Amino acid sequence: MFDVCVSSTCIMYTVNIVLLALGIALTALAGIVKTHRSELIEKTNISASDIDAVMPADDVNMAIAGGCLLMVVALVGVCGARMYEGACGKTLLCIYALFMLVVIVLEIAAFAMVIVLTGHLDDFNSDVTSNKQVKQADKAILNFVNDTRCFCCPKSYTVTASEVTCNPSTAGQDADTSACGLLKDIVTEANCANNKAFTKPVVNWINARLRVVGIFSIVVALIQLCTLCASCCLLCRGKQKKQDAFQPAGPGYQNPQPVGSGAAQSGKPVMYA
């Protein structure tokens, strides 16, 4: 007969080790995004408010916090699965289940925020491509695209272009920085010719990275849902094992006695010395 307890323990061990690795990966990924964002602020003349329109600082910080919390929760889960029969193990499993609920909610929220932001950027991209009037709420995104183009594209690509929207004295001054180097596949003469041509590749570049974070979040949330069920199973199994350690005593006894304690058992004759 398949032992549900053994299965749940294996699930807890396996998945939480994977979650520990994923937590490290998520923290590292968000840290890289944060570094890129900091480089754009410190090494270019693009304003922080314009960068926040496409890479909000709060979202990045929440991803880092989520990764760190995921690592802690994974370690608690492994320890709880190891000691699930004892009081300490049950406490750890309860804490684990509570943390898991919080993390799952946060990851679903992060996934929803990514979907909303990428959808908003796609709408903005469509408006610019079709020459529609840019909404007032999207002015910050437009400023980010324009600033990125003016500071990261070489001066020869923008000042002599058909649509000159860059200041000749500052155009291309950040083109050789590491921050602009992240866009090296986008910074071409054709893309830098005007804002309309530059918008689509920049938005697609940002959305591709945001969608990776969103997909990552929802996959981890689904995996954690499995471990949440496994932790609940171990909690229930631990209680059942404690109950199974006692059997009812013989007729006339009200309190259960442990098996092998010498008390009279139901259906068995009492032996006297």
Side-chain angles (χ1 to χ4, degrees):
M1 183 178 179
F2 187 76
D3 192 341
V4 177
C5 183
V6 172
S7 175
S8 298
T9 304
C10 291
I11 290 174
M12 289 287 288
Y13 282 148
T14 304
V15 174
N16 279 293
I17 290 173
V18 173
L19 289 179
L20 180 62
L22 291 177
I24 296 172
L26 178 59
T27 304
L29 178 63
I32 291 172
V33 174
K34 187 177 180 69
T35 301
H36 290 173
R37 184 183 180 281
S38 298
E39 287 181 347
L40 286 173
I41 294 174
E42 296 171 2
K43 298 182 180 180
T44 69
N45 291 290
I46 305 173
S47 66
S49 59
D50 290 344
I51 295 175
D52 278 338
V54 293
M55 283 187 286
D58 291 341
D59 292 358
V60 176
N61 291 333
M62 187 165 66
I64 293 175
C68 294
L69 183 60
L70 184 59
M71 288 186 282
V72 173
V73 170
L75 291 173
V76 171
V78 170
C79 294
R82 174 72 177 173
M83 304 179 291
Y84 77 94
E85 293 183 7
C88 182
K90 291 175 187 174
T91 302
L92 289 175
L93 286 174
C94 288
I95 295 173
Y96 175 83
L98 181 61
F99 271 150
M100 199 59 63
L101 282 173
V102 173
V103 172
I104 289 173
V105 170
L106 288 176
E107 286 168 345
I108 293 175
F111 176 74
M113 291 173 64
V114 167
I115 293 299
V116 170
L117 182 56
T118 54
H120 185 68
L121 289 174
D122 284 336
D123 291 340
F124 169 79
N125 193 12
S126 177
D127 290 344
V128 173
T129 304
S130 58
N131 294 318
K132 291 183 180 179
Q133 183 67 31
V134 176
K135 302 179 183 68
Q136 185 63 34
D138 294 336
K139 291 293 185 181
I141 302 176
L142 185 63
N143 290 337
F144 171 81
V145 173
N146 184 59
D147 290 347
T148 303
R149 172 177 166 265
C150 290
F151 293 127
C152 290
C153 290
K155 186 176 181 178
S156 59
Y157 291 175
T158 57
V159 175
T160 59
S162 58
E163 181 188 351
V164 181
T165 57
C166 301
N167 186 338
S169 63
T170 59
Q173 66 180 16
D174 298 322
D176 296 329
T177 62
S178 58
C180 289
L182 299 171
L183 305 174
K184 61 182 179 180
D185 294 332
I186 297 174
V187 177
T188 64
E189 187 171 0
N191 288 339
C192 292
N194 52 61
N195 279 344
K196 180 179 178 180
F198 196 69
T199 297
K200 185 175 181 179
V202 168
V203 169
N204 289 343
W205 183 87
I206 295 169
N207 274 353
R209 284 149 182 79
L210 288 176
R211 287 192 175 105
V212 168
V213 175
I215 293 172
F216 187 88
S217 297
I218 200 66
V219 168
V220 172
L222 291 174
I223 294 174
Q224 288 174 329
L225 187 60
C226 296
T227 61
L228 178 61
C229 295
S231 65
C232 293
C233 180
L234 285 177
L235 278 170
C236 296
R237 184 66 175 175
K239 293 179 181 179
Q240 184 63 42
K241 281 197 170 187
K242 186 174 180 180
Q243 292 175 357
D244 290 345
F246 294 88
Q247 289 186 4
Y253 288 87
Q254 298 297 322
N255 297 323
Q257 300 291 334
V259 176
S261 64
Q265 304 296 318
S266 178
K268 296 182 180 180
V270 178
M271 302 297 295
Y272 295 96

